[in-house]
Amino acid sequence: MAELPMGKGVSAGKIASNVQKKITRAQEKVLQKLGKADETKDLAFEEGVINFNKQLVEGTKLQKDLRAYLAAVKAMHESSRRLYECLDDMYENDWYGRKDVDSICEDSDLLWTDFHQKLVDHALISMDTYLGQFPDIKARIAKRDRKLVDFDSARHNFAAVNKGKKKEGIKITKPASLLERAAPGWAQGILSAHNVAQTSLSRSQAEEELERAQKVFEEINIDLQEELPSLWNSRVGFYVNTFQSVAGLEEKFHREMGKINQNLNDTLVKLENQDMSSERTQDANHTLSPGGPPAIPKSPSKLKPAVPPPPKVTPSKDMKQESIINLFGEAATPNISVTSPTQYEAPATANLLDMDLDSLQAATTPAAQNWDPWEATEKAVVTEEAVAETVSETAAVTTETTESVEMPEAFLFKVKAMHDYNANDSDELELKAGDVVLVVNFENPDEQDEGWLMGVKESDWIQHKDLGKKGVFPENFTQRM
């Protein structure tokens, strides 16, 4: 038969005593459940135990959620650090605020670290300390339950000894009388005294066991009766302090982080303004080659397209006869009127500036000053008649073309392309210098950008009578007709 292992300082008698206690407690519980033995009840203490278990469950859940919150803060710290490192790596050295961005990234990392550490110090450690007192109290409650069973068992044993005292006396008397009869006279007194001593010893042991069990139980019970209500009431203050710490630390963290984010935003805004200013400077310093097309509007909301100067106009048959006559009249005969006052019109400044200087110079040379007034008047009249005839013929052709071509419903005006334009997108209209374009309204006015027009080439409209080939084009590449 194998021997029971015994640890250091544990004797066989101690093991036997513990085993005997467990057996006695088990028997007592069975009798109590069967209703053959009464059980000591303490309703106030039982209510305290219920509150204790509830408080333990709530505190354990709060500790678990708080640890999850701290893990999320740490994960957010790591994500924020990587994001700012990405910004720091992409930020070029010659950009505005290079040093400021480095400082902002460092401050953000330090703020996250400080936030996490203070949450651990003021919330998590306090939470662990609060829950640290529960295991000891829980063990003492369990011990109190065992001592209560021992107390009930000792009480029932003592009651049974007192109840069976009379019966035991009767049972012992009969054998004693027989023994006394068989024993010599001098031994009968000794036997009677022995029986009385045995009965008194059993009653005394039961009473001592009851007193010892009651004392141990009451010591534990009194301590728990004081600690459980106090622990239950402390939960309010602990919850308040915990959530105040978390809320206060989080409020301070977000306030400081808001300042960091504002500094970063200000730096990026200044960088954007610097970049836009540099772009405008480059556009202002950009010069076009003589005769080249103007710049295409890049951003209609920020860059107003530059209108190119009007093309140089040379004298043609379409020039008004009044301007031609007035030119020769002022250059050669300033004091001679070749037309009536009602026919005279002031010369157009634009036409005079655009006149061919060779003809003007020839008219003002000294050789041309020896002229005959009557001969000049006659030539001027002839010239006037020829020009008037040409202008009348040109007007009649123009009238016929305008009347024969039906314009689109959304037609606004005509423009003439002054430069070639290569379309960069499917919705743009490709132009060649000299193309005539019929400008129409945008179907959705919100889609029109400043510096751009919508239209269709006149040749396409005359041929197809359809706006399917319409498109947008830069206004500064054209001139209004």
Side-chain angles (χ1 to χ4, degrees):
M1 183 177 179
E3 295 182 357
L4 293 174
M6 294 183 294
K8 184 178 180 180
V10 180
S11 62
K14 184 68 172 177
I15 295 176
S17 177
N18 291 335
V19 172
Q20 182 62 37
K21 286 182 179 180
K22 291 182 179 180
I23 294 174
T24 303
R25 290 167 185 163
Q27 291 176 349
E28 182 67 22
K29 288 182 178 180
V30 170
L31 293 175
Q32 290 176 354
K33 289 182 179 179
L34 293 176
K36 294 184 178 181
D38 63 327
E39 180 181 1
T40 303
K41 293 288 187 179
D42 188 345
L43 297 180
F45 182 82
E46 292 177 358
E47 183 180 357
V49 172
I50 293 175
N51 293 337
F52 171 83
N53 292 328
K54 178 183 178 182
Q55 188 176 359
L56 177 60
V57 172
E58 291 176 349
T60 303
K61 183 178 183 302
L62 177 58
Q63 183 187 45
K64 180 180 178 181
D65 293 340
L66 184 59
R67 289 184 181 276
Y69 175 77
L70 287 171
V73 170
K74 190 172 184 179
M76 189 63 188
H77 177 199
E78 183 65 19
S79 300
S80 176
R81 183 181 62 81
R82 292 181 179 179
L83 182 63
Y84 276 87
E85 284 181 354
C86 181
L87 173 63
D88 189 65
D89 293 339
M90 294 187 301
Y91 214 92
E92 299 181 6
N93 293 329
D94 58 343
W95 287 1
Y96 175 85
R98 167 76 260 190
K99 294 183 179 180
D100 294 338
V101 171
D102 292 338
S103 177
I104 289 172
C105 294
E106 182 179 356
D107 292 343
S108 175
D109 184 66
L110 291 176
L111 184 60
W112 275 108
T113 302
D114 182 68
F115 178 51
H116 183 271
Q117 186 59 44
K118 287 185 177 179
L119 283 173
V120 172
D121 295 339
H122 294 84
L124 185 59
I125 293 180
S126 299
M127 187 78 229
D128 294 341
T129 303
Y130 170 75
L131 288 180
Q133 56 189 334
F134 282 82
D136 176 67
I137 297 177
K138 186 176 182 180
R140 290 162 59 194
I141 291 175
K143 184 178 180 180
R144 185 252 185 201
D145 292 341
R146 295 193 301 269
K147 297 305 178 182
L148 178 60
V149 175
D150 293 342
F151 171 70
D152 286 341
S153 178
R155 182 168 55 83
H156 294 152
N157 185 37
F158 179 76
V161 170
N162 290 333
K163 184 178 181 181
K165 178 181 178 182
K166 186 176 181 180
K167 293 182 180 180
E168 289 177 358
I170 296 173
K171 291 179 181 179
I172 293 175
T173 302
K174 290 181 179 180
S177 61
L178 293 175
L179 183 61
E180 289 176 356
R181 291 176 185 178
W186 58 270
Q188 291 181 2
I190 297 175
L191 291 175
S192 177
H194 175 74
N195 291 331
V196 172
Q198 289 287 1
T199 304
S200 300
L201 180 63
S202 299
R203 187 168 57 250
S204 175
Q205 289 178 345
E207 186 176 1
E208 290 178 359
E209 183 66 25
L210 175 60
E211 291 177 355
R212 183 169 59 252
Q214 183 178 3
K215 180 179 180 181
V216 173
F217 167 74
E218 288 181 351
E219 288 179 354
I220 300 177
N221 186 59
I222 291 174
D223 292 341
L224 292 176
Q225 290 279 10
E226 295 177 355
E227 292 182 19
L228 289 180
S230 176
L231 180 64
W232 173 250
N233 295 331
S234 69
R235 76 191 191 284
V236 178
F238 172 76
Y239 295 158
V240 169
N241 293 334
T242 300
F243 283 96
Q244 277 184 343
S245 298
V246 173
L249 292 172
E250 189 168 346
E251 188 274 334
K252 181 179 179 181
F253 166 77
H254 288 297
R255 183 175 67 251
E256 297 299 325
M257 184 58 71
K259 295 179 181 178
I260 293 177
N261 292 333
Q262 184 62 47
N263 293 337
L264 177 60
N265 181 70
D266 294 342
T267 302
L268 296 178
V269 168
K270 291 179 181 178
L271 173 63
E272 181 184 19
N273 294 336
Q274 183 186 51
D275 182 65
M276 293 176 58
S277 176
S278 176
E279 181 179 354
R280 286 195 296 267
T281 302
Q282 292 177 1
D283 291 341
N285 294 333
H286 178 70
T287 56
L288 299 175
S289 58
I296 301 174
K298 293 181 179 180
S299 179
S301 61
K302 298 180 180 179
L303 183 61
K304 185 176 181 180
V307 179
K312 182 177 179 180
V313 180
T314 57
S316 63
K317 294 181 179 181
D318 296 337
M319 184 179 295
K320 292 183 179 181
Q321 60 178 356
E322 292 87 347
S323 300
I324 298 175
I325 296 171
N326 187 54
L327 172 65
F328 285 97
E330 289 186 355
T333 57
N335 296 325
I336 299 177
S337 176
V338 296
T339 58
S340 62
T342 57
Q343 295 175 339
Y344 176 77
E345 293 181 3
T349 305
N351 291 334
L352 289 177
L353 293 177
D354 293 336
M355 288 298 294
D356 207 350
L357 295 179
D358 293 337
S359 60
L360 182 61
Q361 183 177 4
T364 57
T365 55
Q369 293 179 1
N370 298 324
W371 56 283
D372 187 355
W374 297 107
E375 182 180 357
T377 303
E378 182 179 357
K379 290 181 179 180
V381 172
V382 173
T383 302
E384 178 184 359
E385 294 176 355
V387 171
E389 182 179 358
T390 302
V391 170
S392 300
E393 292 177 357
T394 303
V397 174
T398 304
T399 304
E400 181 180 358
T401 303
T402 305
E403 293 176 354
S404 61
V405 177
E406 181 182 358
M407 295 300 175
E409 293 182 1
F411 171 75
L412 297 175
F413 52 85
K414 289 184 181 182
V415 295
K416 184 177 182 180
M418 307 304 296
H419 309 278
D420 294 345
Y421 174 70
N422 296 323
N424 296 320
D425 205 347
S426 59
D427 64 340
E428 295 183 1
L429 188 66
E430 187 160 337
L431 301 176
K432 297 293 182 182
D435 287 345
V436 177
V437 182
L438 305 180
V439 179
V440 297
N441 285 324
F442 279 78
E443 295 180 359
N444 185 2
D446 295 336
E447 296 179 355
Q448 183 175 5
D449 294 327
E450 185 179 357
W452 294 82
L453 298 175
M454 173 72 74
V456 63
K457 292 183 181 180
E458 186 179 41
S459 58
D460 292 339
W461 171 255
I462 294 175
Q463 183 177 0
H464 302 288
K465 292 296 190 295
D466 184 17
L467 293 177
K469 293 187 177 183
K470 69 178 179 179
V472 296
F473 58 91
E475 183 179 3
N476 58 348
F477 272 61
T478 62
Q479 182 177 8
R480 187 164 180 173
M481 296 179 62

